[in-house]
Amino acid sequence: PKTPGNRKKLPVYLAPTKTKKSKRLLNIPQFVAVELAVYKKQQLEHRLKSGHVWEHPEMVFSREGKFINPSSFSSRFSKIRKMLGIKSTFHAMRHDMATRMKAAPDFDFKDMQEQLGHSNIQTTINIYTKFDQATKKHIADWAGESLQRNIKL
């Protein structure tokens, strides 16, 4: 089958997660849970009005109970984020989450590893964190202050 724009529509496959840690429960902010509950109720009403059996009624985001192709989801997300002036891509939000958790004094690398679902903490440290200019400056300032306190000229 073809999609608008003459692109070939690829099937969606569900497969096991990469590791046992990948399948996990995530806590979400209360306001997000409320919005999802409202959406799920609207979806149920729509499903009942449609009169046909949905293949996957358990899915929160679907097209009439069928899986949304990941490329379609990404495309729609891209349009919405541009419309709202959001610069981050969908995947970059994982990097952003890790970087912001690293910058917060409340979390350590083990917290980040758990949130991101990595079986190996080296993945979290090596791939999903980055040093921004503010962090580099903070390190340089800290080093300079430390040296001045410990070296007598």
Side-chain angles (χ1 to χ4, degrees):
K2 298 273 185 169
T3 60
N6 207 24
R7 291 175 296 172
K8 186 175 181 183
K9 187 175 180 183
L10 300 174
V12 176
Y13 297 99
L14 290 185
T17 57
K18 287 191 236 176
T19 67
K20 288 180 184 177
K21 274 195 155 212
S22 294
K23 191 170 184 176
R24 64 204 183 282
L25 295 176
L26 291 176
N27 290 318
I28 58 174
Q30 183 64 32
F31 77 92
V32 174
V34 168
E35 288 297 321
L36 287 172
V38 168
Y39 178 78
K40 193 67 176 161
K41 182 177 182 252
Q42 292 170 348
Q43 187 184 55
L44 174 62
E45 291 167 358
H46 176 72
R47 181 168 53 97
L48 293 173
K49 282 181 189 175
S50 75
H52 68 276
V53 177
W54 282 17
E55 214 175 305
H56 297 282
E58 76 282 3
M59 301 294 287
V60 176
F61 301 105
S62 68
R63 288 202 174 141
E64 302 292 318
K66 294 186 177 170
F67 295 120
I68 297 174
N69 189 293
S71 62
S72 298
F73 184 87
S74 293
S75 176
R76 181 81 174 127
F77 177 79
S78 180
K79 288 176 187 170
I80 291 170
R81 74 177 178 82
K82 286 176 185 171
M83 183 177 69
L84 296 174
I86 298 169
K87 294 180 180 163
S88 182
T89 63
F90 194 69
H91 184 73
M93 289 192 297
R94 279 182 63 84
H95 294 271
D96 181 61
M97 173 81 161
T99 301
R100 292 180 341 124
M101 285 181 75
K102 181 178 70 70
D106 306 339
F107 309 110
D108 60 22
F109 281 111
K110 289 300 283 180
D111 296 322
M112 293 166 55
Q113 175 192 7
E114 185 67 28
Q115 183 71 16
L116 295 169
H118 295 146
S119 59
N120 183 335
I121 197 164
Q122 286 305 123
T123 303
T124 308
I125 294 169
N126 293 339
I127 298 173
Y128 285 95
T129 59
K130 64 179 180 182
F131 286 101
D132 56 18
Q133 278 307 118
T135 303
K136 290 176 183 177
K137 183 178 181 332
H138 182 67
I139 291 169
D141 292 346
W142 170 83
E145 290 169 13
S146 179
L147 283 171
Q148 285 179 335
R149 279 193 310 269
N150 294 305
I151 296 175
K152 294 178 185 175
L153 298 175

